[in-house]
Amino acid sequence: MTEQISEFLLALDLSQHVPAFVENDVEMDLLQSLSDADLRDLGVDKLGHRKRILAAAAALGTTEGPADGTSARAQRRLLTLMFADLVGSTALSTRLSLEAYRETIRDFQDAVSEEVESYGGFVAKFLGDGVLAYFGYPQSHEDDAERAIQAGLALVKQIGKLTVPNGAGRLEVRVGIETGLVVVGEIVGRGAAQEHSALGSTPNLAARLQTVADPGSVVVGPACRRLSDGAAEFETLGPHVFKGFDDPVPVWRVVRFSGSYDRLERRRGDLTPLIGREHEIGALEAALSRTRLGTLGTTHVIGEPGIGKSRLLREFITRQGDAFTLLIGQCSPHARTTAFHLFIDLLRRFRDTVGAEGGSLEDRLVEAGLDRDRHIPYLRRLVELQASIPGVDPDLIGSRTREALSEFIMMQGRLKPTVLYLNDLHWIDERSSNVLDALVRDPDRRGVLIVAAFRPEFSAPWADAPGVEELVLEPLSTSEAVQLFRDHLTDQDRLADMMPYIERAGGNPLFLEEIARHFTYEPSEEPLLDSSGIPETLAGMLMQRVDRLSPEARRLVERASVIGREFDTRLLGDGAARHMAELEQSGIVQALPEQQDRFKFHHALVQQVIYESLLSEDRRSLHGDVARCLEDLHAGQEIEVAEFLAQQSEAAGNAIATARYALMAGKRALDLFALRDAQGWFQKCIDLTGPAGEVDDVLLLARAVVNQTQILCWNGDFPAMTELARSHLARVQTLGEIEEVSRLLTWIGEGYMHATRYADAQQAFDRAQTIGEALGDESSVGYAKGLRLWLDSIVGEGEAFDALPLRSKSVEVLGRHLGDRYLFTLSHYARWAHATQVGQVCVAAEEASRLQAMGSRDNYPPAECWGACLLALSQAEAGNLRDALAAAEHGVASAASGFDRLMADLALGMVLVAADDPSSGLARLSNAPWRTERIGAFYFAYAGDAAYGRGLVRGGQLEEGTAWLREGMRWFDTLGNRRGSASRCSAYWKPPPRPEMPRRRGSGSS
């Protein structure tokens, strides 16, 4: 140990102090505890010597190193670097003795150290006749660029006072300063030669800048000049070309430091004290009064991050007391693809409130009037994140959940005036958006004021609904900002000194609060830094608190930052609870009320600035740790957190886990009929496991492709569905004749059917059925048979067509056995199509009515929509045009997928044409992507084609309509779809029906 101290002091050219250190047993492990006074007691009388020892100790991560104890861990920082170079040092070395030159260099280094440290900088490295200093590490400040300039000017002045021995003149220095993002903090070297390296282009540029400075001057680069604009006066030196930099770099000479402040446009955040919002409070109170009187009311509170949305609404709620029931839901940026996340949050908050009152959620819901069997299981499923409900078909869960949520909220409004406060809707998930859209537009909603807060970039789909109004929050005035700042500042005597900071806040309440909180927690006036787009002043204040945490708490909060703004301490590893108090006291996090183990970053930007400071390698490692903890915590129930697991695994660079959990997340979304979310997750899995992906897992790929083709089918994108299935079929078949091969062949067959490749479709269905039967897979067999029914309803001849009713019964029985409502739907459709084409209009109408009733009873959108559309056509065929129109409109209202919407638009257009309203019918048909060339030739396609031609004829465009119908007959004959041709022919010759007069007439089955 004695040798290490000797080497340490010898490297600093201070070996004369070794005896004192050894005599007093000062070893390397005590360096971090030494103070300036301690060095005086050891006999280190010269200030420069003390400064050099303390600076070298800081470079070891000791006395003045980072207080977070992470000196050896690199991080990203916005750093201002200063290079100071002694002018004419080479000439001096030739004119002076070695001893005199040594003293001169030491005097120069001591002067630089003193000035740098007096402005809060850190001497990182002595380079003989040069010095490298950091401003912004290990401790950041709001005005690091300005401090560096001040230190540079002071250094020029101080060095100018130093004389050269033997009357050889006075010393001069050149100073170059630049600011930029660097990787800093990693220790390189050994012993006293250790240093905190700063890597990036900025250190090189700062070194180049000092080379173009005149003796006794300070020059800066563009970033430093921009950050200190208004605080100093500059003279441009024009662009310079520097080695290693492709483009010329503008350079400025610092004329003088003025000390003035200029307003910076760098304000963004999400917390706000309430000042100056009385008008907005009044508007909310008026909206609530109208709601009590039975008027529909929805208020949008819109504003930039940090402008005061949350604080405004909190004040409004507080002032009302118990005058209304409050329901709160909070969106999350990490849950945009989690179905119903907004209402999951709302229900959990409601559960916690009920629990605090000593009750249970289920009892409270029943007391409110919700059905214990029809509603409660679906709300409980959301709260508990259950993957499924025993005995309930997965296809039903989404629609029943939507119904239960709507009824829950509506029932609250019937019992007592209710405020539904939904925050941060710019992060809303698809299914929650659908529920909210329906609520806003529901004319029966009474007693519920919906208050939705979001950022300006969000466009609410329901904005055009009746009763929607907007409150746009503007920045605070100067007087309001001062008042807000005064309310949050502990030391009121410092308010006058804070005016520059208040001005910089730009009227954004969050930034004002953060400045005040900073000066409340910290004794010195130290703001800021910039980090990946985060405003400099705010980011630096937040980072300063992190810098002052203990090593354990620092590592803990870094791990929490990769989870998100809200986090569960169980994901932070063993011993996390011991350090949460420190994090709370620092103002970085806060406990979530009545939620054990749940915490939240005080501001979203706190989490962001910590996360952005981590290097990519550290981020990946922490994400991986969180993913593993999440797996342990939810072992056997990973589907409950599949979305989060996929996100964490992807950020950790674990492609295999990402693909696996993406598939799981997609299935969970599909169970809730959240097609858009499911499609995104399945595509991620396909991208990872496909030919160009990182993961070699063909079975995983097969399952993702099967699910994705189903979604494309629901969306009515049959060409894409067919192409996706065909492109991966050969690779999936390498696993043998497995279930996934049968499913892919089924979807390929459907694609062929809609592309009018009927023989190919029949071959694909038959092969899929054969594989399914060999495997004993009833579901695969059922889908192959069901879609073959559909095909034979289009082009089946003889027994294939005549046996449709009997064959459909077997598919229905299989659907009942499997609990598969889609097979039910296919069987009813086949019987309807058969009855329609043989002229049994009443039988067709009965089949359609049963299908619609089943869909409505079980909340299964496809059955309800299809049944309504089929019933509309049967009613129109019978001449019951009023009932037909009502059924068609019901089909439009109940459509939940792209394919359903296609059918509904076609049905309504066809009924309008039949009802002698050709202009409306043609408009509806023209807006639907119904053309056979795009979506195939099932009944609605060729019947839609025929209706379009008939509408042209009925609308007076006889020549165009006739040509359309005749061309259609020839085209369908060529395809082998004689029913399509007959449909066109029938449409041409069919006279207009007499309104409301029942009649029975076949459509012509050829």
Side-chain angles (χ1 to χ4, degrees):
M1 294 294 289
T2 300
E3 291 181 359
Q4 291 182 351
I5 280 290
S6 298
E7 290 179 2
F8 175 81
L9 294 172
L10 182 61
L12 298 176
D13 201 13
L14 297 174
S15 58
Q16 66 269 34
H17 298 298
V18 170
F21 275 65
V22 173
E23 182 180 344
N24 288 277
D25 294 325
V26 177
E27 302 290 354
M28 294 294 292
D29 60 333
L30 296 180
L31 286 177
Q32 65 181 37
S33 63
L34 292 178
S35 66
D36 188 81
D38 292 332
L39 293 177
R40 287 179 182 271
D41 292 341
L42 288 170
V44 185
D45 296 327
K46 291 188 176 182
L47 174 63
H49 292 185
R50 296 197 302 273
K51 289 292 186 180
R52 289 229 294 280
I53 293 173
L54 293 174
L60 295 171
T62 54
T63 305
E64 293 183 357
D68 63 3
T70 59
S71 57
R73 296 178 60 242
Q75 55 188 275
R76 287 193 290 196
R77 291 255 188 169
L78 186 77
L79 194 64
T80 298
L81 297 100
M82 183 179 79
F83 267 92
D85 183 66
L86 184 62
V87 176
S89 60
T90 301
L92 284 175
S93 68
T94 62
R95 298 201 307 266
L96 300 178
S97 66
L98 292 178
E99 289 79 4
Y101 181 69
R102 169 178 169 274
E103 289 296 328
T104 299
I105 294 299
R106 288 181 58 181
D107 288 344
F108 166 73
Q109 292 175 342
D110 290 346
V112 173
S113 297
E114 183 173 358
E115 296 299 337
V116 166
E117 292 169 11
S118 68
Y119 285 99
F122 172 70
V123 175
K125 186 185 301 184
F126 291 110
L127 303 167
D129 58 355
V131 179
L132 170 63
Y134 300 159
F135 292 82
Y137 178 86
Q139 181 61 53
S140 62
H141 309 84
E142 175 188 20
D143 53 352
D144 277 312
E146 298 170 13
R147 289 171 179 250
I149 290 175
Q150 288 179 287
L153 293 174
L155 179 59
V156 168
K157 184 177 181 180
Q158 184 66 22
I159 296 300
K161 296 178 180 179
L162 298 178
T163 58
V164 180
N166 303 325
R170 294 186 177 275
L171 298 180
E172 289 183 302
V173 66
R174 296 186 180 93
V175 178
I177 305 173
E178 180 57 323
T179 303
L181 192 63
V182 301
V183 173
V184 65
E186 186 174 23
I187 291 181
V188 297
R190 299 181 60 186
Q194 286 184 346
E195 62 183 58
H196 292 266
S197 65
L199 303 177
S201 62
T202 306
N204 294 329
L205 181 54
R208 301 287 189 272
L209 286 169
Q210 63 87 16
T211 64
V212 301
D214 291 332
S217 70
V218 178
V219 300
V220 300
C224 181
R225 194 262 187 201
R226 173 175 52 81
L227 289 174
S228 54
D229 190 25
E233 294 182 11
F234 300 94
E235 175 189 14
T236 180
L237 301 180
H240 284 64
V241 177
F242 294 117
K243 181 180 179 181
F245 293 85
D246 295 334
D247 300 321
V249 177
V251 179
W252 288 267
R253 181 179 69 87
V254 180
V255 178
R256 69 184 183 91
F257 189 83
S258 63
S260 65
Y261 291 88
D262 188 29
R263 192 176 217 165
L264 302 179
E265 297 181 8
R266 52 190 183 192
R267 304 307 186 202
R268 192 171 295 270
D270 72 342
L271 180 69
T272 53
L274 180 70
I275 297 292
R277 301 299 190 194
E278 292 304 318
H279 169 74
E280 290 82 358
I281 289 288
L284 289 168
E285 290 173 343
L288 181 59
S289 297
R290 292 193 297 272
T291 299
R292 289 192 177 104
L293 296 175
T295 302
L296 283 178
T298 300
T299 300
H300 291 167
V301 180
I302 305 171
E304 294 289 344
I307 203 64
K309 303 181 292 294
S310 300
R311 184 63 186 90
L312 167 70
L313 292 168
R314 185 157 58 246
E315 181 69 15
F316 163 66
I317 292 166
T318 301
R319 290 189 186 185
Q320 296 300 314
D322 297 328
F324 57 76
T325 297
L326 176 64
L327 300 175
I328 301 178
Q330 172 72 50
C331 294
S332 167
H334 302 290
R336 298 187 215 190
T337 58
T338 300
F340 299 111
H341 177 270
L342 172 62
F343 292 98
I344 291 173
D345 181 80
L346 183 148
L347 286 170
R348 287 179 170 177
R349 294 172 188 266
F350 184 79
R351 175 200 61 188
D352 295 340
T353 300
V354 171
E357 298 170 355
S360 74
L361 175 63
E362 185 166 335
D363 291 341
R364 179 65 62 86
L365 294 176
V366 172
E367 292 171 4
L370 271 69
D371 188 277
R372 190 179 294 274
D373 296 322
R374 187 172 183 83
H375 300 137
I376 303 300
Y378 301 93
L379 299 181
R380 184 171 60 240
R381 177 180 182 274
L382 291 181
V383 173
E384 299 174 359
L385 288 177
Q386 298 173 350
S388 61
I389 299 177
V392 179
D393 185 86
D395 290 335
L396 301 178
I397 293 178
S399 57
R400 287 190 176 181
T401 300
R402 184 178 61 215
E403 176 193 345
L405 286 169
S406 178
E407 186 61 23
F408 164 66
I409 293 167
M410 302 278 271
M411 188 65 71
Q412 297 299 319
R414 296 185 196 113
L415 297 174
K416 184 179 180 180
T418 297
V419 171
L420 179 61
Y421 168 31
L422 306 175
N423 199 21
D424 289 337
L425 291 193
H426 42 274
W427 293 321
I428 193 170
D429 65 278
E430 176 191 6
R431 299 304 280 167
S432 295
S433 178
N434 294 341
V435 172
L436 184 54
D437 192 308
L439 277 172
V440 171
R441 299 179 187 278
D442 193 335
D444 296 327
R445 171 171 57 92
R446 293 291 182 269
V448 178
L449 172 63
I450 299 175
V451 181
F454 51 83
R455 296 177 183 175
E457 63 265 24
F458 176 69
S459 179
W462 54 85
D464 60 343
V468 176
E469 61 181 10
E470 293 185 349
L471 285 179
V472 180
L473 301 190
E474 300 294 340
L476 301 180
S477 67
T478 300
S479 60
E480 291 167 344
V482 171
Q483 180 183 348
L484 184 153
F485 203 92
R486 180 185 293 113
D487 292 344
H488 287 81
L489 192 63
T490 302
D491 186 356
Q492 295 295 313
D493 294 336
R494 304 181 66 192
L495 181 62
D497 297 331
M498 298 297 102
M499 286 305 298
Y501 299 99
I502 294 175
E503 180 185 8
R504 291 187 182 191
N508 187 297
L510 170 63
F511 304 139
L512 289 162
E513 178 184 334
E514 280 305 303
I515 294 171
R517 286 172 60 84
H518 166 70
F519 289 112
T520 296
Y521 278 99
E522 309 297 344
S524 60
E525 300 180 4
E526 301 176 341
L528 276 246
L529 127 141
D530 184 19
S531 177
S532 298
I534 297 175
E536 290 94 339
T537 40
L538 183 63
M541 292 176 193
L542 300 175
M543 203 63 193
Q544 282 186 97
R545 298 186 202 166
V546 178
D547 286 344
R548 286 172 169 77
L549 292 173
S550 67
E552 296 79 9
R554 171 68 178 260
R555 287 191 288 271
L556 200 67
V557 80
E558 288 175 346
R559 183 161 177 165
S561 75
V562 309
I563 299 174
R565 184 174 181 185
E566 293 187 9
F567 57 91
D568 189 325
T569 57
R570 292 175 296 175
L571 299 179
L572 301 183
D574 297 335
R578 295 195 301 270
H579 306 289
M580 294 312 298
E582 179 183 354
L583 293 179
E584 285 189 272
Q585 292 170 2
S586 71
I588 294 176
V589 305
Q590 61 190 57
L592 293 175
E594 302 175 8
Q595 296 190 46
Q596 186 178 7
D597 301 321
R598 297 285 297 177
F599 283 79
K600 171 183 180 179
F601 282 94
H602 192 72
H603 297 302
L605 291 183
V606 178
Q607 179 257 332
Q608 185 180 353
V609 72
I610 297 172
Y611 185 78
E612 293 294 343
S613 73
L614 298 172
L615 297 186
S616 299
E617 181 180 356
D618 295 329
R619 289 185 196 174
R620 287 193 295 269
S621 176
L622 290 173
H623 280 295
D625 290 344
V626 169
R628 285 186 288 274
C629 282
L630 203 59
E631 289 172 332
D632 293 340
L633 191 60
H634 295 272
Q637 298 176 318
E638 289 87 353
I639 194 169
E640 296 181 3
V641 289
E643 298 96 337
F644 192 29
L645 273 168
Q647 292 164 357
Q648 291 293 319
S649 299
E650 183 175 27
N654 188 338
I656 296 176
T658 303
R660 184 172 68 251
Y661 290 123
L663 177 65
M664 198 178 294
K667 288 181 177 179
R668 188 168 185 269
L670 187 57
D671 286 344
L672 295 170
F673 218 68
L675 300 183
R676 187 179 65 189
D677 296 342
Q679 186 173 4
W681 285 118
F682 291 138
Q683 190 58 51
K684 183 178 290 294
C685 184
I686 292 170
D687 291 341
L688 288 169
T689 56
E694 305 173 44
V695 180
D696 184 15
D697 190 327
V698 180
L699 184 58
L700 203 60
L701 170 67
R703 290 170 176 170
V705 171
V706 166
N707 283 281
Q708 191 75 308
T709 50
Q710 183 178 358
I711 291 175
L712 291 171
C713 177
W714 280 119
N715 288 335
D717 194 351
F718 302 117
M721 176 190 76
T722 308
E723 177 59 29
L724 177 66
R726 290 179 58 189
S727 66
H728 294 286
L729 179 61
R731 190 174 182 206
V732 174
Q733 286 176 319
T734 61
L735 298 177
E737 300 287 85
I738 61 174
E739 173 191 346
E740 286 73 19
V741 171
S742 175
R743 287 302 183 93
L744 287 180
L745 287 169
T746 299
W747 297 124
I748 290 172
E750 181 171 357
Y752 285 157
M753 177 179 69
H754 295 309
T756 68
R757 295 173 56 179
Y758 303 124
D760 292 336
Q762 179 177 330
Q763 183 180 5
F765 290 147
D766 290 346
R767 188 179 170 200
Q769 181 176 338
T770 299
I771 294 174
E773 289 172 344
L775 293 172
D777 181 5
E778 293 180 318
S779 180
S780 294
V781 172
Y783 272 74
K785 286 185 173 181
L787 287 167
R788 177 64 189 272
L789 291 176
W790 195 344
L791 173 64
D792 288 338
S793 74
I794 300 173
V795 294
E797 299 290 345
E799 184 180 356
F801 178 78
D802 295 338
L804 276 176
L806 182 62
R807 291 164 55 203
S808 69
K809 288 293 185 181
S810 68
V811 172
E812 181 177 354
V813 170
L814 192 54
R816 192 184 307 279
H817 170 66
L818 297 173
D820 193 317
R821 293 295 188 270
Y822 185 58
L823 294 181
F824 264 47
T825 303
L826 287 175
S827 65
H828 279 285
Y829 174 79
R831 290 196 292 273
W832 174 88
H834 179 271
T836 297
Q837 294 178 71
V838 298
Q840 299 175 350
V841 179
C842 292
V843 174
E846 290 171 1
E847 287 291 344
S849 295
R850 284 195 290 269
L851 181 58
Q852 181 185 351
M854 184 270 285
S856 178
R857 181 186 68 246
D858 294 340
N859 283 324
Y860 183 55
E864 183 175 2
C865 175
W866 288 30
C869 293
L870 301 179
L871 180 60
L873 297 190
S874 295
Q875 294 285 14
E877 182 73 12
N880 301 321
L881 300 179
R882 185 178 302 166
D883 293 341
L885 185 60
E889 290 175 341
H890 186 89
V892 171
S894 58
S897 70
F899 185 76
D900 293 354
R901 286 188 287 273
L902 163 68
M903 292 185 65
D905 282 338
L906 285 170
L908 182 55
M910 293 161 67
V911 169
L912 289 170
V913 169
D916 205 21
D917 186 1
S919 60
S920 298
L922 289 173
R924 175 66 65 164
L925 291 172
S926 297
N927 289 334
W930 53 268
R931 294 303 307 275
T932 300
E933 297 91 323
R934 293 186 57 187
I935 52 84
F938 61 99
Y939 181 87
F940 274 77
Y942 59 72
D945 272 0
Y948 189 80
R950 186 181 180 203
L952 292 173
V953 173
R954 300 280 300 279
Q957 302 178 58
L958 181 61
E959 183 176 348
E960 184 179 351
T962 301
W964 175 275
L965 292 170
R966 287 177 175 171
E967 175 61 26
M969 283 185 272
R970 287 193 297 270
W971 190 72
F972 279 114
D973 281 339
T974 302
L975 294 174
N977 183 354
R978 298 170 62 196
R979 293 187 182 87
S981 178
S983 177
R984 293 273 188 130
C985 181
S986 175
Y988 178 69
W989 294 107
K990 184 182 251 183
R994 290 173 294 174
E996 307 306 323
M997 292 295 293
R999 59 193 179 86
R1000 295 172 61 98
R1001 177 181 177 136
S1003 62
S1005 62
S1006 183

